[in-house]
Amino acid sequence: MSIKIEHVSHLYGEGEAFEKKALNDVTMEIPDGQFLGVIGHTGSGKSTLIQHLNGLLKATSGTIYYNNEDIYQENYDMKKLRSKVGLVFQYPEHQLFEIDVFSDVCFGPKNLGLPQEEIEARAKEALEHVGLGPDFYKKSPFELSGGQKRRVAIAGILAMEPEVIVLDEPTAGLDPKGRDEILDLVAELHQVRKITVVLVSHSMEDVAKYVDRLIVMDDGKVRFDGTPREVFSHYKELEKLGLAAPQVTYVTHALKEKGWDIDTDATTVEEAKNAILKALKRPLKKTVSEKTDPGKGAAL
Amino acid sequence: MNIIKAVKLAYEYKRYGEDGQVEETLRAVDGVDLDVKKGDFVAILGHNGSGKSTLAKQINALLVPTEGTLYVDGMDTKDPEKVWDIRQSAGMVFQNPDNQIIGSVVDEDVGFGPENMGIPTKEIWERVEESLRSVGMWEYRHSSPNKLSGGQKQRVAIAGVVAMHPKCIVLDEPTAMLDPVGRKDVIRTVRALNMVEDVTVVLITHYMEEVIYADKVIVMDDGKVVMQGTPGEIFSQVDTLKKYRLDVPQVTLLAYELKKAGLDLPAGILSIEELVDNLCQLKSNM
């Protein structure tokens, strides 16, 4: 079970003067149960890519397999695909429209044509999963805080019982605590419900903290693909792509330049703390004559 | 002289029922006293719903205080005759660049503000050039705004405000929708305006790293100012900030954790260089 993207290209305005290749021959696989992070500057193709995952956009060329089935084949059940791959857009609260929280979460399963009992059971479960109890059921979505509205939007997707959930910058505009709460919630859904998660983010610190695998989009192509540690070790190239590494990665690299014998792969506060504490005890490397005596210098 | 002065400032949102009776009131800003000196860079932090944006909209006279008084450049924002002068003194930049740009070409968009002020055409174009240069977007003057990146659009929006020659710019989460480089460019632009052109800056943000250059940081909670000080003073109080649903820059958190682990580091380290220098000093003393 997986999503396989094979040689997918997407042209906006094909054949027009403004033709733009938003995706350029992308091939990748998202295995079941992965927590995948997607980063890239604005206009790099991230959002175009994720809108292919549930068939909202159709590839100009190439194809996508969901659980080994070609989603572009004739008679493929797109509606079912959309219930299996849930997409949470940026500012999802703009898509809340029902009279109260409970009806809003029911909207998705209702459209799946499920019996009323099942719809309500699913909505209750989904709301419980995002930490909104019965007190919230009858509230208008507009009375809620920014973080709570996002929870409702995520519950609306969860009620469809998706196997994959794709989130496009779910924390934009939230305060730091709200940011942590939403991402902790996503991480918990990933662990408890074994949902595959695709997280698009502009926060390097957030992706470093949560994801198993990170891809970097640029100019419609996947430029880097690996663990956050692997990807962020290319921080100088990332900067040229309009990105950055987490702040702590810069600290360990700066210390290395000052001659410290330190592991520079740290991407979280915890990792950096341990690397620094370890390196403090080690002697400095000779920085000036590194070529003649690599790594063996005495403390300065 | 203080460019912004608030005395016991309050703002209440009222919700009216179908019969026209007030059903609910929400005191979004509650007794704020505030002094911003001309040329200062002030940052306002606070969780969603803490009253930051309501305060910002009052500085621009988009909202008028329900209690207390707010003076902008000596003018009382409650005086309806002064609304246009106040908006010219205190320009505002919002979160979403797409909602703020109206021209179909960059330079026309920037000229819109001064044109509305009745500035002679020749001077409008001088102002457009000067402000586009100050945000580093002059070479894009003939571009269509929808071909620009988010960070570039936000810099055009800032230029549009700068062209009105305001004494003060209020930015309400200008980087929330931008990628890291766009974020950096916008903050660099704002700092340059503050340092070179001496424009007073009020920056509202959820990104703690953007605040470290401010002269003064104000923390709001429940409509009140609960903390005030230099970035170093504010960010040395990690636990208090967390209580207000805020955070510190990642490098400050790392320094705080290292200090907890027994390293002799000063409180409130704000930048990567500062931490690296302090660590190197520690090491050479070992």
Side-chain angles (χ1 to χ4, degrees):
Chain A
M1 306 258 277
S2 68
I3 303 175
K4 263 189 221 142
I5 300 163
E6 282 186 3
H7 302 291
V8 165
S9 294
H10 190 93
L11 285 169
Y12 284 115
E14 198 178 358
E16 292 170 24
F18 296 110
E19 185 178 288
K20 184 179 169 357
K21 205 163 206 173
L23 287 181
N24 190 356
D25 195 19
V26 173
T27 297
M28 64 180 290
E29 184 174 352
I30 307 170
D32 237 11
Q34 194 165 58
F35 198 142
L36 172 73
V38 182
I39 58 176
H41 60 84
T42 22
S44 60
K46 301 181 304 270
S47 297
T48 307
L49 175 69
I50 61 167
Q51 287 176 53
H52 279 79
L53 299 181
N54 74 347
L56 263 186
L57 289 179
K58 188 170 185 299
T60 315
S61 62
T63 191
I64 293 174
Y65 296 92
Y66 184 71
N67 294 340
N68 296 321
E69 270 190 273
D70 184 345
I71 69 167
Y72 297 139
Q73 70 189 330
E74 235 177 286
N75 302 327
Y76 185 81
D77 190 352
M78 273 295 176
K79 201 170 166 189
K80 194 166 160 220
L81 176 69
R82 289 192 184 131
S83 73
K84 291 298 164 204
V85 181
L87 205 56
V88 180
F89 287 100
Q90 235 182 75
Y91 294 89
E93 58 269 30
H94 296 169
Q95 296 158 48
L96 301 175
F97 54 87
E98 280 280 9
I99 184 159
D100 60 39
V101 167
F102 195 76
S103 327
D104 207 281
V105 176
C106 287
F107 182 78
K110 208 195 257 164
N111 271 348
L112 292 179
L114 297 170
Q116 189 62 23
E117 257 170 52
E118 169 80 11
I119 294 172
E120 285 182 14
R122 281 192 182 195
K124 274 182 193 154
E125 200 197 339
L127 280 164
E128 198 188 312
H129 260 288
V130 300
L132 296 174
D135 308 354
F136 286 92
Y137 290 180
K138 289 289 151 216
K139 278 199 178 175
S140 155
F142 302 105
E143 286 177 64
L144 307 178
S145 76
Q148 287 165 344
K149 282 183 203 165
R150 300 235 172 140
R151 280 163 194 271
V152 175
I154 293 174
I157 299 290
L158 284 181
M160 317 267 285
E161 301 197 337
E163 292 162 355
V164 180
I165 184 163
V166 183
L167 302 115
D168 192 357
E169 286 188 62
T171 61
L174 291 186
D175 60 49
K177 183 83 184 295
R179 219 137 76 193
D180 291 348
E181 283 171 356
I182 289 292
L183 291 172
D184 285 343
L185 166 70
V186 172
E188 196 191 299
L189 291 171
H190 172 246
Q191 265 176 358
V192 179
R193 286 178 75 151
K194 310 284 177 218
I195 295 178
T196 307
V197 177
V198 180
L199 172 71
V200 177
S201 177
H202 277 326
S203 166
M204 305 300 130
E205 283 80 10
D206 287 347
V207 286
K209 194 169 160 194
Y210 290 95
V211 308
D212 310 323
R213 172 181 170 205
L214 186 57
I215 64 165
V216 179
M217 297 288 299
D218 176 52
D219 204 16
K221 282 179 183 289
V222 177
R223 294 284 172 195
F224 296 98
D225 184 346
T227 63
R229 287 168 81 97
E230 285 162 3
V231 171
F232 286 130
S233 69
H234 299 280
Y235 68 105
K236 287 201 172 130
E237 288 125 292
L238 290 179
E239 279 172 14
K240 283 185 205 134
L241 303 182
L243 301 169
Q247 275 195 324
V248 296
T249 310
Y250 290 90
V251 174
T252 51
H253 278 278
L255 289 171
K256 181 145 188 145
E257 270 168 36
K258 301 253 180 200
W260 287 46
D261 181 9
I262 187 168
D263 170 18
T264 52
D265 287 348
T267 56
T268 65
V269 171
E270 189 64 26
E271 285 169 11
K273 179 180 104 178
N274 293 333
I276 290 170
L277 290 175
K278 246 189 238 165
L280 256 183
K281 296 191 196 102
R282 286 192 207 128
L284 285 177
K285 284 183 187 175
K286 263 192 194 156
T287 44
V288 193
S289 55
E290 224 174 13
K291 271 178 202 155
T292 50
D293 184 15
K296 272 197 187 164
L300 290 172
Chain B
M1 196 191 77
N2 288 325
I3 180 106
I4 300 170
K5 185 175 176 61
V7 185
K8 296 199 175 62
L9 184 68
Y11 189 84
E12 273 178 0
Y13 288 102
K14 292 192 171 71
R15 200 179 70 176
Y16 296 92
E18 277 162 19
D19 52 355
Q21 294 288 312
V22 176
E23 272 191 348
E24 206 179 334
T25 56
L26 174 74
R27 220 171 155 82
V29 171
D30 188 8
V32 167
D33 291 313
L34 185 69
D35 287 300
V36 178
K37 284 202 283 294
K38 200 171 175 315
D40 263 4
F41 179 168
V42 177
I44 305 181
L45 299 177
H47 59 79
N48 295 118
S50 60
K52 306 179 301 285
S53 296
T54 307
L55 178 63
K57 284 179 191 149
Q58 299 200 73
I59 297 172
N60 192 255
L62 281 175
L63 295 176
V64 176
T66 46
E67 276 170 54
T69 322
L70 179 63
Y71 299 98
V72 174
D73 199 17
M75 294 173 279
D76 186 340
T77 60
K78 260 187 277 196
D79 184 349
E81 307 246 304
K82 292 275 198 275
V83 167
W84 299 108
D85 293 330
I86 288 167
R87 291 197 184 146
Q88 203 178 313
S89 296
M92 196 146 177
V93 177
F94 297 93
Q95 192 180 101
N96 189 343
D98 292 324
N99 296 347
Q100 304 173 64
I101 294 183
I102 38 140
S104 53
V105 183
V106 165
D107 57 5
E108 283 176 10
D109 184 79
V110 175
F112 182 79
E115 193 177 5
N116 266 347
M117 288 159 62
I119 307 274
T121 313
K122 188 168 161 283
E123 200 193 326
I124 293 178
W125 290 110
E126 285 164 10
R127 286 190 180 201
V128 167
E129 173 166 357
E130 159 204 281
S131 48
L132 276 173
R133 283 190 192 281
S134 73
V135 300
M137 289 297 290
W138 176 241
E139 54 184 300
Y140 293 94
R141 61 190 175 280
H142 299 313
S143 301
S144 158
N146 57 36
K147 297 276 169 193
L148 303 177
S149 75
Q152 291 171 332
K153 280 185 212 164
Q154 211 50 320
R155 276 147 68 200
V156 171
I158 293 172
V161 172
V162 170
M164 296 172 73
H165 288 181
K167 291 178 179 154
C168 171
I169 297 186
V170 182
L171 302 109
D172 193 356
E173 291 190 54
T175 58
M177 301 177 76
L178 307 184
D179 58 34
V181 166
R183 226 144 68 197
K184 219 190 246 174
D185 286 342
V186 166
I187 294 303
R188 203 179 289 145
T189 303
V190 170
R191 282 179 67 204
L193 286 175
N194 176 246
M195 289 192 301
V196 181
E197 320 267 332
D198 208 32
V199 178
T200 310
V201 169
V202 178
L203 172 70
I204 295 176
T205 183
H206 283 321
Y207 287 105
M208 303 298 140
E209 314 85 72
E210 295 175 357
V211 173
I212 64 173
Y213 308 106
D215 298 307
K216 185 158 123 185
V217 180
I218 290 167
V219 177
M220 289 191 70
D221 182 58
D222 204 12
K224 297 182 180 67
V225 173
V226 288
M227 291 169 89
Q228 233 182 108
T230 63
E233 286 163 9
I234 298 293
F235 287 136
S236 58
Q237 304 175 57
V238 178
D239 295 326
T240 317
L241 282 170
K242 292 216 160 154
K243 193 178 86 191
Y244 294 125
R245 297 178 60 93
L246 299 174
D247 212 339
V248 297
Q250 202 187 25
V251 58
T252 309
L253 186 63
L254 176 59
Y256 173 80
E257 291 291 332
L258 287 169
K259 197 173 152 72
K260 267 210 300 206
L263 298 194
D264 184 20
L265 292 170
I269 284 181
L270 300 175
S271 70
I272 294 165
E273 298 77 43
E274 212 180 335
L275 177 60
V276 169
D277 288 348
N278 272 290
L279 284 171
C280 285
Q281 212 166 18
L282 261 185
K283 188 152 174 81
S284 64
N285 292 337
M286 273 173 83

